[in-house]
Amino acid sequence: MTEHLLDLSAEEVLTTTRSVRKRLDFDRPVSRELLTDCVRVALQAPSGSNRWLTQFVIVTDADRRKALADVYRKGYEIYRKTPGYIGVVDKGDDARNANQQRTAASADYLAENMHRAPALVVACGPGRTESGPPIAKTTLMGSVLPPLWSFMLAARNRGLGTAWTTVMLFCEQEAADVLGVPNDEVTMAALTPVAFTKGTDFKPAMRPDPAEAIHWDQW
Ligand SMILES: Cc1cc2nc3c(=O)[nH]c(=O)nc-3n(C[C@H](O)[C@H](O)[C@H](O)COP(=O)(O)O)c2cc1C
């Protein structure tokens, strides 16, 4: 489906795939074909023991989107009361805090409007790792999250917007019930809305200097 590609460079895709919330076009349909094409790209990601663990639940049915969005909103209300809520995290300087407040307003907007996205995508992996060794967790998540990020990068290069979200998992069982996911056998990792974006110009975001994130030779 190369006719849908924006043909951004790899560098552009990697630096401009933002969490899109207010610029999601809720009125423009997204075809199953296009969503499937993003999954095709996603499945090129690495996978522990080459086991291809990731499963995508893609919700386009309006009633089920509404039900899932209701669970998301409930999880978001729980999240808003935690010290981790994006709107109360102090980033230490005025510019970063102003950026944080803008993101909080955008996240609040998504919580109110999640049901309007033409597709809601939940990335899942088979298995539960609560009682397993740490490597079981990192292998499962390490095999599910790269494909989801690749899905989002592929979406960006097709004019689609996404936003990585997890607060639905405060109400994990309710979300599983909506989706028919066997919650004792499958781990849901994240939910993203998918919609065409209003405009396709997105910019690199404010991020730390690389020196703040590098430990040469030892921690
Ligand atoms: C693990 C994880 C969980 C997140 N959960 C949510 C969420 O539940 N709701 C939301 O609106 N954004 C969520 N985000 C998106 C972040 O707020 C966003 O990535 C961050 O503000 C940086 O913005 P950018 O992605 O546009 O660069 C999450 C991101 C990650 C990586």
Side-chain angles (χ1 to χ4, degrees), residues 17-19 21 72 76 86 103 107 110 164-167 205 207:
T17 301
R18 298 272 69 80
S19 296
R21 304 180 184 93
Y72 181 83
Y76 194 79
I86 193 166
T103 309
L110 181 63
W164 195 290
T165 79
T166 53
V167 300
R207 286 296 193 260

Side-chain angles (χ1 to χ4, degrees), residues 15-21 72 75-76 79 86 91 99-100 103-104 106-111 114 145 149 152 162-170 189-191 203-207:
T15 57
T16 67
T17 301
R18 298 272 69 80
S19 296
V20 186
R21 304 180 184 93
Y72 181 83
Y76 194 79
Y79 164 68
I86 193 166
K91 297 291 272 282
N99 176 260
Q100 194 75 348
T103 309
S106 166
D108 291 354
Y109 172 86
L110 181 63
M114 184 71 93
L145 305 185
W149 182 233
M152 294 162 84
T162 57
W164 195 290
T165 79
T166 53
V167 300
M168 173 186 87
L169 298 174
F170 279 116
L191 156 74
K203 297 195 167 42
M206 181 192 295
R207 286 296 193 260

Side-chain angles (χ1 to χ4, degrees), residues 6-80:
L6 297 181
D7 267 338
L8 302 173
S9 71
E11 190 75 8
E12 277 176 292
V13 170
L14 288 168
T15 57
T16 67
T17 301
R18 298 272 69 80
S19 296
V20 186
R21 304 180 184 93
K22 291 191 173 177
R23 288 176 62 187
L24 295 173
D25 185 345
F26 297 130
D27 298 323
R28 189 171 163 196
V30 177
S31 70
R32 283 194 170 193
E33 205 182 6
L34 200 50
L35 293 162
T36 302
D37 204 39
C38 294
V39 172
R40 177 185 63 77
V41 174
L43 295 178
Q44 292 291 327
S47 169
S49 301
N50 203 19
R51 286 169 63 207
W52 309 335
L53 297 179
T54 306
Q55 299 287 304
F56 292 91
V57 182
I58 304 183
V59 184
T60 57
D61 173 75
D63 290 342
R64 208 179 296 261
R65 279 189 283 130
K66 165 93 172 57
L68 194 62
D70 285 348
V71 178
Y72 181 83
R73 199 174 317 106
K74 192 172 166 186
Y76 194 79
E77 286 311 315
I78 296 170
Y79 164 68
R80 274 186 70 104

Side-chain angles (χ1 to χ4, degrees), residues 51-55 123-133 135-144 169 172 176 181-190:
R51 286 169 63 207
W52 309 335
L53 297 179
T54 306
Q55 299 287 304
C124 305
R128 300 292 311 198
T129 57
E130 285 84 353
S131 58
I135 192 170
K137 295 183 180 59
T138 54
T139 302
L140 182 62
M141 283 302 106
S143 297
V144 173
L169 298 174
E172 190 185 42
V181 165
N183 199 34
D184 51 346
E185 296 167 19
V186 170
T187 303
M188 292 178 290

